[in-house]
Amino acid sequence: MATMHYREIPGRSFLYWAGLAVCALLTVAGVGAGLYMRAEGHHVTGMNQQIVWGIEHVFAVFLIVAASGALNVASIASVFGRTIYKPLSRLSGLLAIALLIGGLWDLVLDLGRPGHVLDAIIYGNFRSIFAWNMYLYAGFLLITGFYLWFMMERRLNRYSHAMGVTAFLWRLTLTTGTGSIFGFLVSRSAYDTALLAPMFIIMSFAYGLATFLLILIGGFRALARPVGERIRGRLKILLTVFVAAVLYFAVVYNLTNLYMPGQRAFEGFVLLHGGVYTMLFWVGQILIGGVFPLVLLLGKKGASARTLVMASVAVLIGGLAQVYIIIVGAQAYPQQLFPGMIVHSSFYDGVVNPYIPGWPETTLAVSGVGLVGLIVLLAVRVLPFLPLSLADEVTDVHGHDQTVTAAGAAATP
Amino acid sequence: MTGDRTDLVSDAAPEEGHDPSRRRLFALAGGAVAAVLTPGVTLFARTLTVGSGKTPVRYGLLIDSTRCTQGCDACVTACQDYNGLSKKITPDTAQWIRKVTVTDPQTGLTRSFPVMCQHCAQATCVDVCPTGASYRRPDGIVLVDKHRCIGCRYCLMACPYKARSFVGRVVKDQKPWAPRGKGTAEACTMCVERVMDGKAPACVTACAERGKKAMVFGNLHDPKSEIAQKLAQFPTTTIRADLGLEPGVHYRGI
């Protein structure tokens, strides 16, 4: 039976400080961009009355969806009893919290009146899925925080299973809620479908795991801590299944639209003549985000660290493209006030609305990622989130591992 | 009463195979389920009745597209002048009312008419607003509470009529009766303060004075009102009636 050791990272290397500095800089830049937008108004951004949610919403939704998926690894360990993933649970929980905070950061700083965000909780309108999401986000942070605590405090370990199950159910609800922000809208051709809720759940699995893999493999390489082939093999299989499932949902979603005569014009826009959106769909979402990682992962070297990193980066790029189409593409396509008619107005009815992200909202969007990095880098330095080794001889597939968090703890018994 | 009930419970011999503690557990669980479900069911029931019930007053508009002419924009300029809106047309200019030209590609028939907030009974903007800043008055007028709006723009995403705008810059020279706030959502108010003074909205007055009398304003629920009588006279419809939002703005000839 193996003993799992966790230890804070030393955090003295140039790489660590450089990473910390870049993330801090991005975060501060995001504050600046948010304040600038607040002071000047959103006319300084690329958004307008037609494209009301821009690149920062793409990043926000992407991060929030990935947050829920990042918790997957911990869920598999504690809910489904796969002990091989247990050593990864702490990082999984940490990443989930960091990603959610990063996403909310983007959302809140983009608000027209960010100082009033708590009004959504104080005056919560329970007919609004957006208000529900506020509670779901707050609950997710709280539950995952307790889950981490129960995992890391040996005396409370016995409660971690129950908290893990709670966190798992909560995250499914949360992603259902995020998908329903769009699925509940009857106003736009791309939305108004219950399919978006489960689609967002499966997207969260893929994006979350890809983010997790990047942090895990990149971080462990920088720390010179090994990640064994066994654990890489397992994660590879998971990622393969998730990417395939995202593709499946994309096919079902688009086929459903194609089958409905009223939706064909919209599908034509996405699949054939939507310019940047068509390119993002075929090249970004399908090719880079779906086919390419599948080919890599199903290849002979599918479980190698390099392949996993490449596949994960591809999944993230494809994911961003997919969320961009879901959010911006849906607004670019003209709203159907008079289906089947040719419509003109001074308010850009009937035309495809252009959108070029401006620097304020782009800075804000990226700052969410910076904040995620900042939280993770600081957390792994002050608390023992990362195992000392994930080499094959340490990760035990069948047995139960013991957990030792004290620095320099006893050797494997 | 309570005492009687207690006696009844304590006197009753437990039936064979029925554990009283389990019964209590079921009762507790039942109570908990009821406590959890009741607010939701009540809310749902309320959602179903809001708007569908006949209130004494529901303000609305009737727009006759057979009278409205393509070149006329009296309603639009009246709205801009009265509410202090910019006349400059750019992608980020707020437009509370706009003239749309709709052509049927099958027949070539073209119509031109104004579109503004449709003041729906089942308003999606009210439903989606996380803070309740978007609200519907008992008389059917849908407004935005600028103090409570956080500027999330979810209502702009949700409105099927593209009727909402977002104030993306500092607004100067505001009209006292039409306060506007940077970072908040806004839309046609049906000139609520004029309506409260017994007048028609600015667009309707302008259409009557400078246009073709294509707009009628009034109480939809008053059978004696001009609007109710006209609605009973000839067939009308609402934009995207299929969505079931029960708009307060009706159209003839579209």
Side-chain angles (χ1 to χ4, degrees):
Chain A
M1 189 166 67
T3 301
M4 188 54 60
H5 298 279
Y6 295 87
R7 191 180 290 172
E8 302 86 344
I9 68 164
R12 284 188 287 269
S13 68
F14 170 77
L15 197 63
Y16 178 81
W17 285 106
L20 204 64
V22 169
C23 289
L25 212 64
L26 285 174
T27 308
V28 173
V31 176
L35 288 175
Y36 177 60
M37 285 157 64
R38 174 74 189 100
E40 290 293 319
H42 281 59
H43 78 95
V44 297
T45 69
M47 293 175 286
N48 49 45
Q49 306 293 358
Q50 284 69 46
I51 307 288
V52 299
W53 284 359
I55 188 81
E56 74 279 43
H57 293 86
V58 173
F59 272 72
V61 169
F62 182 87
L63 291 173
I64 289 168
V65 167
S68 160
L71 196 62
N72 223 27
V73 175
S75 298
I76 295 170
S78 56
V79 179
F80 301 107
R82 305 283 178 199
T83 51
I84 189 172
Y85 296 108
K86 202 176 167 194
L88 306 174
S89 295
R90 295 180 181 188
L91 178 63
S92 167
L94 169 66
L95 204 53
I97 288 178
L99 284 164
L100 186 65
I101 294 175
L104 293 178
W105 173 264
D106 279 357
L107 271 190
V108 171
L109 284 178
D110 160 77
L111 292 175
R113 298 168 78 217
H116 292 255
V117 64
L118 286 182
D119 284 2
I121 289 178
I122 298 167
Y123 303 112
N125 168 20
F126 289 104
R127 279 158 68 187
S128 165
I129 186 68
F130 213 73
W132 277 103
N133 271 278
M134 294 288 189
Y135 291 98
L136 290 172
Y137 299 150
F140 183 84
L141 291 176
L142 206 69
I143 290 169
T144 313
F146 272 105
Y147 182 30
L148 271 178
W149 181 29
F150 292 174
M151 280 195 289
M152 296 174 80
E153 172 59 60
R154 209 182 308 174
R155 287 171 303 165
L156 298 171
N157 276 171
R158 61 182 182 278
Y159 302 118
S160 69
H161 173 72
M163 196 44 89
V165 173
T166 311
F168 177 67
L169 295 174
W170 196 273
R171 54 141 301 195
L172 288 181
T173 314
L174 182 141
T175 321
T176 302
T178 313
S180 301
I181 286 178
F182 305 98
F184 282 5
L185 297 186
V186 295
S187 57
R188 293 171 195 272
S189 306
Y191 305 150
D192 190 17
T193 165
L195 198 63
L196 285 176
M199 192 165 105
F200 266 60
I201 290 179
I202 203 65
M203 281 155 61
S204 84
F205 286 0
Y207 307 166
L209 185 60
T211 313
F212 180 85
L213 271 165
L214 275 185
I215 304 271
L216 179 75
I217 295 173
F220 270 56
R221 170 160 292 189
L223 291 165
R225 297 182 188 179
V227 181
E229 194 172 348
R230 182 186 292 156
I231 210 145
R232 279 190 274 115
R234 291 296 185 94
L235 292 172
K236 177 207 106 168
I237 294 169
L238 273 184
L239 190 62
T240 311
V241 172
F242 295 161
V243 171
V246 171
L247 269 182
Y248 165 78
F249 267 87
V251 170
V252 172
Y253 172 82
N254 288 292
L255 269 183
T256 308
N257 276 337
L258 270 177
Y259 197 76
M260 300 176 186
Q263 288 284 79
R264 280 179 201 154
F266 169 69
E267 274 305 310
F269 172 74
V270 174
L271 304 180
L272 297 174
H273 47 76
V276 66
Y277 303 101
T278 301
M279 199 191 74
L280 281 172
F281 177 78
W282 288 113
V283 180
Q285 183 183 332
I286 301 298
L287 210 62
I288 298 178
V291 177
F292 179 63
L294 278 185
V295 170
L296 281 179
L297 293 166
L298 293 171
K300 277 183 183 169
K301 292 183 176 175
S304 77
R306 180 190 291 262
T307 306
L308 282 175
V309 166
M310 281 168 64
S312 297
V313 170
V315 169
L316 295 187
I317 293 171
L320 277 170
Q322 184 172 12
V323 179
Y324 195 92
I325 297 165
I326 290 174
I327 295 180
V328 182
Q331 298 171 82
Y333 186 72
Q335 276 187 267
Q336 301 298 299
L337 272 73
F338 306 95
M341 300 286 171
I342 300 165
V343 187
H344 295 291
S345 83
S346 59
F347 207 37
Y348 306 92
D349 283 285
V351 298
V352 172
N353 303 295
Y355 171 63
I356 299 169
W359 71 262
E361 76 259 42
T362 308
T363 308
L364 177 58
V366 179
S367 83
V369 181
L371 184 62
V372 174
L374 195 65
I375 293 169
V376 172
L377 284 173
L378 288 175
V380 295
R381 192 171 193 267
V382 296
L383 286 171
F385 280 103
L386 299 179
L388 276 178
S389 168
L390 288 170
D392 286 348
E393 58 272 23
V394 179
T395 53
D396 182 359
V397 186
H398 305 292
H400 298 283
D401 52 31
Q402 291 176 351
T403 303
V404 179
T405 54
T412 307
Chain B
M1 273 304 276
T2 314
D4 292 344
R5 220 176 260 161
T6 311
D7 288 345
L8 275 174
V9 171
S10 59
D11 288 348
E15 290 169 36
E16 204 177 330
H18 286 78
D19 181 2
S21 63
R22 191 185 294 175
R23 196 180 291 172
R24 268 200 301 277
L25 181 71
F26 280 130
L28 263 175
V33 168
V36 170
L37 288 184
T38 306
V41 171
T42 313
L43 189 72
F44 185 62
R46 194 176 154 267
T47 308
L48 287 178
T49 53
V50 165
S52 303
K54 197 97 168 171
T55 50
V57 180
R58 182 170 182 208
Y59 291 118
L61 292 167
L62 169 62
I63 296 166
D64 189 343
S65 76
T66 59
R67 282 172 174 265
C68 189
T69 50
Q70 201 165 342
C72 177
D73 65 350
C75 54
V76 177
T77 51
C79 175
Q80 290 163 342
D81 291 338
Y82 182 73
N83 292 301
L85 302 171
S86 170
K87 286 196 163 90
K88 208 163 61 177
I89 301 297
T90 67
D92 68 0
T93 309
Q95 295 192 37
W96 292 8
I97 182 172
R98 63 194 190 272
K99 283 290 294 290
V100 296
T101 307
V102 179
T103 305
D104 186 339
Q106 309 282 336
T107 62
L109 179 73
T110 297
R111 289 269 186 261
S112 175
F113 48 86
V115 173
M116 69 294 283
C117 172
Q118 304 289 296
H119 298 279
C120 307
Q122 310 285 346
T124 53
C125 55
V126 175
D127 283 345
V128 302
C129 179
T131 62
S134 286
Y135 68 102
R136 185 171 178 268
R137 290 162 45 110
D139 60 12
I141 299 178
V142 175
L143 296 174
V144 181
D145 180 345
K146 304 287 162 49
H147 298 286
R148 200 178 276 191
C149 177
I150 57 173
C152 69
R153 284 105 77 201
Y154 196 26
C155 56
L156 278 85
M157 289 291 285
C159 176
Y161 305 108
K162 215 165 172 275
R164 283 265 162 123
S165 290
F166 181 68
V167 185
R169 59 178 74 230
V170 179
V171 186
K172 291 171 186 157
D173 303 325
Q174 297 190 40
K175 304 289 184 190
W177 50 84
R180 306 176 64 206
K182 174 170 62 71
T184 61
E186 60 179 19
C188 155
T189 62
M190 215 184 260
C191 292
V192 62
E193 67 300 324
R194 285 174 64 97
V195 171
M196 292 298 96
D197 283 347
K199 298 179 200 161
C203 55
V204 178
T205 306
C207 185
E209 289 172 357
R210 291 183 277 131
K212 304 282 182 187
K213 297 184 176 56
M215 299 174 83
V216 181
F217 165 79
N219 179 5
L220 297 167
H221 289 177
D222 175 8
K224 291 178 189 160
S225 68
E226 183 191 357
I227 191 168
Q229 290 184 353
K230 288 208 165 175
L231 283 170
Q233 258 174 31
F234 42 73
T236 58
T237 186
T238 54
I239 303 175
R240 291 301 306 265
D242 58 311
L243 297 177
L245 306 180
E246 298 174 44
V249 181
H250 296 251
Y251 289 84
R252 183 188 185 191
I254 63 167

